[in-house]
Coordinates of all heavy atoms in Angstrom, one line a residue:
G561 N -58.4 208.0 57.8 CA -58.8 208.1 59.3 C -58.5 209.5 59.7 O -57.9 210.4 59.2
A562 N -59.2 209.8 60.9 CA -59.2 211.2 61.5 C -57.8 211.6 61.9 O -57.3 212.8 61.5 CB -60.1 211.3 62.8
G563 N -57.0 210.7 62.6 CA -55.7 211.2 63.0 C -54.7 211.6 61.9 O -54.3 212.7 61.9
P564 N -54.4 210.7 60.9 CA -53.6 211.0 59.8 C -54.1 212.1 59.0 O -53.3 213.0 58.5 CB -53.5 209.6 59.0 CG -53.8 208.6 59.9 CD -54.8 209.2 60.8
A565 N -55.5 212.1 58.8 CA -56.0 213.3 57.9 C -55.7 214.6 58.6 O -55.3 215.6 57.9 CB -57.4 213.1 57.7
T566 N -55.9 214.7 59.9 CA -55.7 215.9 60.7 C -54.3 216.3 60.6 O -54.0 217.5 60.5 CB -56.0 215.7 62.2 OG1 -57.6 215.4 62.2 CG2 -55.9 217.0 63.0
A567 N -53.3 215.4 60.8 CA -51.8 215.7 60.7 C -51.4 216.2 59.3 O -50.7 217.1 59.4 CB -51.1 214.5 60.9
L568 N -52.0 215.7 58.3 CA -51.7 216.3 56.9 C -52.3 217.7 56.7 O -51.7 218.5 56.1 CB -52.3 215.4 55.8 CG -51.5 214.0 55.6 CD1 -52.3 213.1 54.7 CD2 -50.2 214.3 55.2
A569 N -53.5 217.9 57.3 CA -54.1 219.2 57.2 C -53.4 220.2 58.0 O -53.1 221.4 57.5 CB -55.6 219.2 57.7
K570 N -52.9 219.9 59.1 CA -52.1 220.8 59.9 C -50.7 221.1 59.2 O -50.2 222.2 59.3 CB -51.9 220.2 61.3 CG -51.3 221.2 62.4 CD -51.1 220.6 63.7 CE -50.5 221.5 64.6 NZ -50.4 220.9 66.1
A571 N -50.0 220.1 58.8 CA -48.7 220.2 58.2 C -48.8 220.9 56.9 O -47.8 221.7 56.6 CB -48.0 218.8 58.2
F572 N -49.6 220.5 56.1 CA -49.6 220.9 54.6 C -50.9 221.6 54.1 O -50.9 222.0 53.0 CB -49.2 219.8 53.7 CG -47.9 219.1 54.0 CD1 -47.9 217.9 54.8 CD2 -46.8 219.7 53.8 CE1 -46.8 217.3 55.0 CE2 -45.6 219.1 54.1 CZ -45.6 217.9 54.8
G573 N -51.9 221.5 55.0 CA -53.2 222.2 54.4 C -54.0 221.2 53.5 O -54.8 221.6 52.8
M574 N -53.7 220.0 53.4 CA -54.3 218.9 52.7 C -55.6 218.6 53.3 O -55.7 218.2 54.4 CB -53.4 217.7 52.5 CG -52.0 218.0 51.9 SD -51.1 216.5 51.9 CE -49.4 217.0 51.3
T575 N -56.6 218.5 52.4 CA -57.9 217.9 52.9 C -58.6 217.0 52.0 O -59.4 216.2 52.4 CB -58.9 219.1 53.1 OG1 -59.1 219.7 51.9 CG2 -58.5 220.1 54.2
T576 N -58.1 216.9 50.7 CA -58.6 216.0 49.7 C -57.6 215.1 49.1 O -56.4 215.4 49.2 CB -59.3 216.8 48.6 OG1 -58.2 217.5 47.8 CG2 -60.4 217.7 49.0
V577 N -58.1 214.1 48.4 CA -57.2 213.1 47.7 C -56.3 213.9 46.7 O -55.1 213.7 46.6 CB -58.0 212.1 47.0 CG1 -57.1 211.3 46.0 CG2 -58.5 211.1 48.1
G578 N -56.9 214.8 46.0 CA -56.3 215.7 45.0 C -55.0 216.4 45.7 O -53.9 216.5 45.1
D579 N -55.4 217.0 46.9 CA -54.2 217.7 47.6 C -53.0 216.9 47.8 O -51.9 217.1 47.7 CB -54.7 218.3 49.0 CG -55.8 219.4 48.7 OD1 -55.9 220.0 47.8 OD2 -56.6 219.6 49.7
L580 N -53.5 215.6 48.3 CA -52.3 214.6 48.7 C -51.5 214.2 47.5 O -50.3 214.2 47.4 CB -52.8 213.5 49.5 CG -51.9 212.3 49.8 CD1 -50.8 212.9 50.6 CD2 -52.6 211.1 50.5
L581 N -52.2 213.9 46.4 CA -51.5 213.4 45.2 C -50.8 214.5 44.4 O -49.9 214.1 43.6 CB -52.6 212.8 44.2 CG -53.1 211.5 44.7 CD1 -54.1 210.9 43.7 CD2 -52.2 210.5 45.2
S582 N -51.1 215.7 44.7 CA -50.4 216.8 44.1 C -49.1 217.3 45.0 O -48.4 218.2 44.7 CB -51.2 218.1 43.8 OG -51.7 218.7 45.0
H583 N -48.9 216.5 46.0 CA -47.7 216.7 47.0 C -46.7 215.8 46.3 O -46.5 214.6 46.8 CB -47.9 216.3 48.3 CG -46.8 216.6 49.3 ND1 -46.6 217.9 49.7 CD2 -46.0 215.9 50.0 CE1 -45.6 217.9 50.6 NE2 -45.2 216.6 50.7
Y584 N -46.0 216.2 45.1 CA -45.2 215.3 44.5 C -43.8 215.1 45.2 O -43.4 215.9 46.0 CB -44.9 215.9 43.1 CG -46.1 216.3 42.3 CD1 -46.4 217.5 41.8 CD2 -47.1 215.3 42.0 CE1 -47.5 217.9 41.2 CE2 -48.1 215.6 41.3 CZ -48.4 216.9 40.9 OH -49.6 217.2 40.2
P585 N -43.2 214.0 44.8 CA -41.8 213.8 45.4 C -40.9 214.8 45.1 O -40.8 215.3 44.0 CB -41.3 212.3 44.9 CG -42.8 211.7 44.4 CD -43.6 212.8 44.1
R586 N -40.0 215.3 46.1 CA -39.0 216.3 45.8 C -37.8 215.6 45.0 O -37.1 216.3 44.4 CB -38.7 217.0 47.1 CG -37.9 216.2 48.1 CD -37.9 216.8 49.4 NE -37.3 218.2 49.3 CZ -37.2 218.9 50.3 NH1 -37.6 218.7 51.5 NH2 -36.7 220.2 50.2
R587 N -37.6 214.3 45.4 CA -36.5 213.5 44.6 C -36.7 212.1 44.8 O -37.7 211.7 45.5 CB -35.2 214.0 45.2 CG -35.0 213.6 46.6 CD -33.5 214.0 47.1 NE -33.3 213.5 48.3 CZ -32.7 212.4 48.6 NH1 -32.5 211.5 47.7 NH2 -32.5 211.9 49.8
Y588 N -35.9 211.3 44.1 CA -36.0 209.9 44.3 C -34.7 209.3 44.7 O -33.6 209.7 44.2 CB -36.4 209.3 42.9 CG -37.9 209.8 42.5 CD1 -38.1 210.9 41.7 CD2 -39.0 209.0 42.8 CE1 -39.2 211.4 41.4 CE2 -40.3 209.4 42.4 CZ -40.4 210.7 41.6 OH -41.6 211.1 41.1
A589 N -34.8 208.3 45.6 CA -33.6 207.7 45.9 C -33.7 206.1 45.5 O -34.8 205.8 45.0 CB -33.4 207.8 47.5
R590 N -32.6 205.5 45.8 CA -32.7 204.0 45.5 C -32.4 203.3 46.9 O -31.6 203.8 47.7 CB -31.7 203.5 44.4 CG -32.1 204.2 43.1 CD -31.4 203.5 42.0 NE -31.7 204.1 40.7 CZ -32.8 203.7 40.1 NH1 -33.7 202.8 40.6 NH2 -33.2 204.4 38.9
R591 N -32.9 202.0 46.9 CA -32.5 201.2 48.2 C -31.1 201.0 48.3 O -30.6 200.8 49.4 CB -33.4 200.0 48.2 CG -34.8 200.3 48.4 CD -35.7 199.0 48.2 NE -37.1 199.4 48.5 CZ -37.9 200.0 47.7 NH1 -37.6 200.3 46.5 NH2 -39.1 200.2 48.1
G592 N -30.3 200.9 47.2 CA -28.9 200.8 47.4 C -28.1 202.0 47.4 O -26.9 202.0 47.5
E593 N -28.8 203.2 47.5 CA -28.0 204.5 47.3 C -27.8 205.0 48.6 O -28.7 204.9 49.6 CB -29.0 205.4 46.5 CG -28.5 206.9 46.6 CD -29.5 207.9 45.9 OE1 -30.4 207.4 45.3 OE2 -29.3 209.1 46.1
L594 N -26.7 205.7 48.9 CA -26.3 206.3 50.2 C -26.5 207.9 49.9 O -25.7 208.4 49.1 CB -25.1 206.0 50.6 CG -24.9 204.5 51.0 CD1 -23.5 204.3 51.5 CD2 -25.9 204.1 52.1
T595 N -27.4 208.5 50.6 CA -27.7 209.9 50.4 C -26.4 210.9 50.9 O -26.0 210.7 51.9 CB -29.0 210.3 50.9 OG1 -30.0 209.4 50.6 CG2 -29.4 211.7 50.7
T596 N -26.2 211.9 50.2 CA -25.2 212.8 50.4 C -25.5 213.6 51.8 O -26.6 214.0 52.1 CB -25.1 213.9 49.3 OG1 -24.7 213.3 48.2 CG2 -23.8 214.8 49.8
L597 N -24.5 213.4 52.7 CA -24.8 214.1 54.0 C -24.0 215.3 54.2 O -24.2 216.1 55.1 CB -24.3 213.0 55.1 CG -25.0 211.7 55.1 CD1 -24.4 210.8 56.2 CD2 -26.5 211.9 55.2
A598 N -23.0 215.6 53.4 CA -22.0 216.6 53.6 C -22.6 218.0 53.7 O -22.1 219.0 54.4 CB -20.8 216.5 52.7
E599 N -23.7 218.3 52.9 CA -24.1 219.6 52.8 C -25.6 219.7 53.1 O -26.5 220.5 52.6 CB -24.0 220.0 51.2 CG -22.6 220.0 50.9 CD -22.5 220.6 49.3 OE1 -23.5 220.7 48.7 OE2 -21.4 220.6 48.8
L600 N -25.9 219.1 54.3 CA -27.3 219.1 54.7 C -27.7 220.6 55.3 O -26.8 221.1 56.0 CB -27.6 218.1 55.9 CG -27.6 216.7 55.5 CD1 -27.8 215.8 56.6 CD2 -28.8 216.3 54.5

């Protein structure tokens, strides 16, 4: 849709499916995991 696509283009320069799928996760968490807060 136009709204989400425009937001992605503005934030990351993404325009295609390939652009979005090459925005890989920076890390992985678990639903039972509590993320470290001390050194944000």
Side-chain angles (χ1 to χ4, degrees):
T566 299
L568 287 173
K570 184 176 180 180
F572 303 104
M574 300 176 188
T575 59
T576 68
V577 167
D579 293 338
L580 179 59
L581 293 183
S582 61
H583 188 76
Y584 305 122
R586 66 192 307 176
R587 66 182 184 87
Y588 297 85
R590 294 193 180 281
R591 288 170 173 83
E593 173 190 346
L594 296 179
T595 305
T596 301
L597 303 178
E599 298 181 356
L600 291 177

